[in-house]
């Protein structure tokens, strides 16, 4: 090959690299930072799969009437708009970014390869500037400030705990984690250790060490501020609250009175809980005011999840695409919302 041809090839390669770097910087510049330590969704919503997320007065959600793709709406269900085409969960929002987990149907015509079935994806709030950060099989995703924590499998065999930034360009392995998470606070993740009779442990992200917190047969652990909420299997699936600082436990929902607790969500001092009693085909959804110690009936219904926002709490009827809303605080009157764009 002639010298001139070699130099031309090198020059073209360098130009390509410079252009690629420029495009990457331009893309990064379009991503606004999230507020320091602000969660991308509530811990309770993420524990329930993160299919709804409230941000600056708008609700973003995975629409069950359209394969779980992301839509936005006003809290009352009006102004419905489609945002993206991926089947989404663990929706986190901050700055101008929606960052979520995708799990697309392999038989969907829009899916052409394994690589665009799974992973973490990001779009602007209006659905533009879509990018996939990876193609991992995901179990959970939490945004804290400008950090992303996720439990994922990069080898399709074992799950590990990763830390990345909201731009997706600084991934690092922070543990061979076998646990899910709904929040990370002060570099700590509280989790259920199945290897120790479902006891509650805390994992330190910095030194990658775990220690025991509470010897309970726990299920559905939720860390919210300075409290841990959990269902105690050995107590008939009663729901408990544990004060981390005071190391004090109190019962919230007694299974002997209300039935077995199977799902719940917490928003500030309001607790929504789904209970089941033997012989009944329908479960019961309650709203419990923890501050006033007041239990209120919401509906007899079987549901797939409970998602809370400041104004409304949403639930999806099991096996359907029907979504209802009820006031998170105030008058209780469940109303079905229209999920179809006219």
């Amino acid at each position: 090959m002639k010298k001139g041809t070699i130099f031309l090839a090198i020059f073209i390669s360098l130009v390509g690299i410079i252009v690629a770097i420029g495009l990457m910087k331009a893309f990064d510049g379009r991503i606004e930072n999230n507020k320091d330590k602000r969660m991308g969704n509530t811990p309770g919503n993420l524990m329930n799969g993160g299919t709804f997320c409230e941000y600056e007065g708008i609700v973003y959600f995975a629409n069950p009437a359209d394969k779980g793709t992301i839509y936005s709406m006003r809290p009352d269900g009006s102004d419905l708009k489609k945002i993206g085409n991926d089947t989404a969960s663990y929706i986190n929002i901050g700055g101008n970014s929606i960052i979520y987990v995708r799990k697309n149907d392999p038989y969907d015509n829009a899916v052409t390869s394994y690589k665009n079935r799974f992973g973490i994806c990001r779009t602007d709030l209006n659905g533009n500037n879509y990018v996939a950060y990876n193609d991992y099989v995901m179990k959970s995703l939490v945004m804290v400030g400008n950090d992303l924590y996720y439990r994922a499998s990069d080898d399709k065999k074992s799950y590990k705990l990763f830390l990345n930034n909201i731009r997706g360009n600084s991934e690092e392995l922070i543990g061979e984690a076998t646990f899910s998470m709904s929040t990370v606070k002060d570099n700590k993740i509280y989790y259920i250790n199945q290897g120790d009779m479902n006891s509650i442990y805390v994992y330190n992200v910095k030194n990658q060490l775990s220690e025991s917190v509470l010897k309970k047969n726990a299920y559905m652990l939720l860390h919210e501020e300075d409290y841990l909420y959990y269902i105690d299997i050995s107590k008939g699936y009663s729901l408990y609250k544990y004060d981390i600082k005071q190391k004090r436990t109190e019962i919230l929902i007694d299974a002997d009175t209300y039935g077995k607790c199977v799902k719940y969500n917490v928003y500030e001092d309001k607790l929504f809980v789904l209970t089941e009693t033997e012989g009944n085909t329908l479960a019961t959804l309650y709203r419990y005011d923890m501050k006033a110690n007041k239990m209120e009936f919401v509906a007899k219904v079987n549901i797939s999840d409970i998602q809370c926002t400041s104004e409304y709490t949403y639930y999806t009827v099991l096996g359907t695409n029907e979504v209802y809303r009820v006031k998170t605080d105030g008058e209780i009157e469940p109303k079905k919302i229209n999920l179809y764009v006219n």
Side-chain angles (χ1 to χ4, degrees):
M1 184 181 290
K2 295 181 178 180
K3 288 185 178 180
T5 304
I6 294 173
F7 289 143
L8 178 61
I10 294 173
F11 175 76
I12 292 173
S13 297
L14 289 173
V15 170
I17 292 171
I18 293 170
V19 170
I21 292 173
L23 289 173
M24 289 176 63
K25 288 184 176 180
F27 175 75
D28 285 349
R30 290 198 298 265
I31 299 179
E32 296 177 2
N33 285 335
N34 192 14
K35 293 180 181 178
D36 185 41
K37 296 184 179 180
R38 180 194 168 277
M39 288 280 295
N41 203 341
T42 67
N45 285 351
L46 293 173
M47 183 184 69
N48 278 269
T51 54
F52 279 68
C53 183
E54 181 181 24
Y55 187 66
E56 296 184 344
I58 300 296
V59 176
Y60 299 82
F61 70 105
N63 190 341
D66 189 10
K67 301 178 182 179
T69 56
I70 298 180
Y71 279 63
S72 68
M73 64 180 178
R74 298 190 183 279
D76 63 0
S78 63
D79 198 19
L80 189 66
K81 298 176 183 177
K82 185 166 183 173
I83 300 295
N85 294 311
D86 287 326
T87 297
S89 60
Y90 298 103
I91 299 170
N92 286 260
I93 304 178
N96 63 345
S97 297
I98 305 173
I99 301 177
Y100 62 92
V101 168
R102 67 178 173 186
K103 186 178 180 182
N104 291 326
D105 189 333
Y107 302 106
D108 191 325
N109 291 331
V111 177
T112 58
S113 71
Y114 187 87
K115 285 187 174 296
N116 59 7
R117 282 189 59 197
F118 304 107
I120 296 175
C121 299
R122 184 260 174 203
T123 72
D124 293 345
L125 299 180
N126 56 10
N128 295 329
N129 296 312
Y130 171 91
V131 63
Y133 288 166
N134 58 46
D135 63 346
Y136 299 168
V137 178
M138 307 291 299
K139 288 293 185 181
S140 53
L141 169 67
V142 177
M143 176 194 291
V144 183
N146 294 306
D147 293 323
L148 300 177
Y149 297 86
Y150 44 96
R151 181 181 170 225
S153 174
D154 59 345
D155 58 9
K156 313 300 184 290
K157 295 178 181 178
S158 59
Y159 286 91
K160 304 167 187 176
L161 188 63
F162 294 91
L163 170 63
N164 208 331
N165 63 25
I166 60 172
R167 290 165 175 81
N169 57 16
S170 65
E171 181 178 270
E172 61 177 298
L173 178 66
I174 55 173
E176 300 289 335
T178 60
F179 51 83
S180 294
M181 57 188 168
S182 58
T183 189
V184 181
K185 184 179 180 182
D186 298 329
N187 296 310
K188 294 180 179 179
I189 302 172
Y190 289 87
Y191 69 98
I192 293 174
N193 187 343
Q194 295 179 341
D196 187 17
M197 302 296 291
N198 297 323
S199 293
I200 298 173
Y201 277 61
V202 62
Y203 178 82
N204 190 307
V205 172
K206 291 296 184 181
N207 59 26
Q208 299 184 21
L209 296 177
S210 293
E211 61 178 298
S212 177
V213 175
L214 201 59
K215 292 288 185 179
K216 298 290 181 180
N217 190 4
Y219 170 62
M220 290 192 73
L221 176 68
L222 174 61
H223 177 202
E224 177 69 59
E225 296 299 332
D226 295 323
Y227 300 97
L228 300 177
Y229 299 85
Y230 64 94
I231 294 171
D232 193 328
I233 298 173
S234 63
K235 299 296 184 181
Y237 287 76
S238 295
L239 183 60
Y240 285 80
K241 178 180 180 180
Y242 176 72
D243 188 319
I244 298 172
K245 291 183 176 180
Q246 300 297 323
K247 297 183 178 181
R248 184 176 61 242
T249 303
E250 64 176 300
I251 188 169
L252 297 176
I253 310 296
D254 190 343
D256 290 337
T257 303
Y258 294 101
K260 182 170 71 173
C261 299
V262 292
K263 296 181 188 298
Y264 73 96
N265 199 339
V266 175
Y267 191 91
E268 296 180 347
D269 59 353
K270 299 299 185 295
L271 166 69
F272 285 81
V273 58
L274 187 74
T275 67
E276 294 178 350
T277 54
E278 189 175 351
N280 290 328
T281 56
L282 290 177
T284 305
L285 180 63
Y286 293 98
R287 184 180 70 189
Y288 176 57
D289 187 325
M290 291 182 283
K291 189 174 182 179
N293 191 24
K294 182 180 179 182
M295 190 77 153
E296 298 174 282
F297 170 83
V298 177
K300 283 280 189 182
V301 63
N302 294 327
I303 60 179
S304 59
D305 60 355
I306 306 170
Q307 302 283 325
C308 296
T309 66
S310 61
E311 188 172 355
Y312 292 104
T313 290
Y314 305 87
Y315 60 88
T316 305
V317 178
L318 189 65
T320 76
N321 57 17
E322 297 178 356
V323 174
Y324 286 77
R325 60 177 171 85
V326 62
K327 285 280 189 180
T328 300
D329 185 14
E331 181 182 358
I332 294 181
E333 184 183 354
K335 293 183 179 179
K336 184 178 177 180
I337 59 177
N338 178 25
L339 299 175
Y340 297 92
V341 176
N342 295 328

